[in-house]
Amino acid sequence: MADFTHFNEQGRARMVDVSDKSVTYRTATAAGTVHMLPSTAEAIRTGGVPKGDVLAVAQVAGIMAAKRTGEIVPMCHPLMLTGVDVRFTLGEDRVDIEATVKCKGETGVEMEALHAVSAAALTVYDMCKALQKDMTISDIRLLEKTGGKSGDYYHPAAKRTDDNNGDAISLAADAATAKYGGNDRK
């Protein structure tokens, strides 16, 4: 256990010391899905959800979650993020969520991207639960990460594309569930 930096000399968990790591540009993209009835998706699409604009509120929740990951996940470092983008694709019976997080730092932003997707999905559920209580949240996963000592990672089913700035991004969220091991539960 001495070589594994997540444990102290007593074998107990600790927050990894990143003091000696180089500052590098890092990105991570995660995705997930909220499955629902077509009528619930239609209510989101047409503005018929009593609590308001579901995707606008979920987008803010995802951004806030990414920024506060170090306060929620015990061993995560608080990070100065340089960008958070939460995107949605509204399907016939689902909302696909994708979040990309960026920073220049000593440690990666995978947990921030996953936390953003999780909070956005929970917010979609919260906003729509008056219409449907049996929605399911599924397939929250890391699609890709770039930067750092361990190098880049792309989900095995990922097809890499580039945005206007040359930053690595994944496929659109509406295709993410099928391409990245999604589940077609309705």
Side-chain angles (χ1 to χ4, degrees):
M1 271 199 244
D3 292 344
F4 196 61
T5 59
H6 292 76
F7 296 99
N8 66 17
E9 63 281 347
Q10 296 174 332
R12 297 187 183 276
R14 69 174 180 153
M15 191 166 94
V16 174
D17 184 353
V18 296
S19 304
D20 294 330
K21 291 178 84 177
S22 298
V23 172
T24 61
Y25 179 68
R26 298 159 183 270
T27 69
T29 300
T33 301
V34 182
H35 301 270
M36 59 191 61
L37 295 170
S39 58
T40 303
E42 185 62 19
I44 294 170
R45 184 177 287 103
T46 61
V49 177
K51 284 189 173 184
D53 186 336
V54 173
L55 301 184
V57 175
Q59 186 171 40
V60 172
I63 292 167
M64 289 175 63
K67 292 167 43 173
R68 301 190 75 169
T69 302
E71 296 175 27
I72 304 299
V73 181
M75 300 304 168
C76 284
H77 295 81
L79 300 176
M80 180 62 69
L81 304 180
T82 59
V84 180
D85 185 18
V86 180
R87 300 169 302 281
F88 302 94
T89 302
L90 183 57
E92 180 183 326
D93 61 353
R94 65 199 303 138
V95 175
D96 290 311
I97 304 164
E98 191 171 283
T100 299
V101 180
K102 300 175 183 182
C103 84
K104 293 178 184 172
E106 297 88 358
T107 190
V109 289
E110 300 94 278
M111 294 305 298
E112 287 72 12
L114 289 161
H115 194 208
V117 169
S118 299
L122 288 169
T123 302
V124 169
Y125 184 94
D126 178 57
M127 297 284 290
C128 297
K129 67 186 178 195
L131 301 176
Q132 181 184 353
K133 293 197 180 0
D134 65 346
M135 290 175 285
T136 59
I137 297 170
S138 69
D139 304 313
I140 297 174
R141 66 230 177 257
L142 180 66
L143 299 181
E144 64 184 52
K145 71 133 219 92
T146 66
K149 181 179 165 186
S150 65
D152 297 350
Y153 164 83
Y154 300 96
H155 191 283
K159 176 182 174 189
R160 186 169 181 227
T161 61
D162 290 317
D163 70 7
N164 298 351
N165 300 321
D167 295 329
I169 59 173
S170 66
L171 297 175
D174 61 340
T177 299
K179 297 229 176 249
Y180 299 107
N183 189 328
D184 289 327
R185 289 180 296 215
K186 296 183 182 188

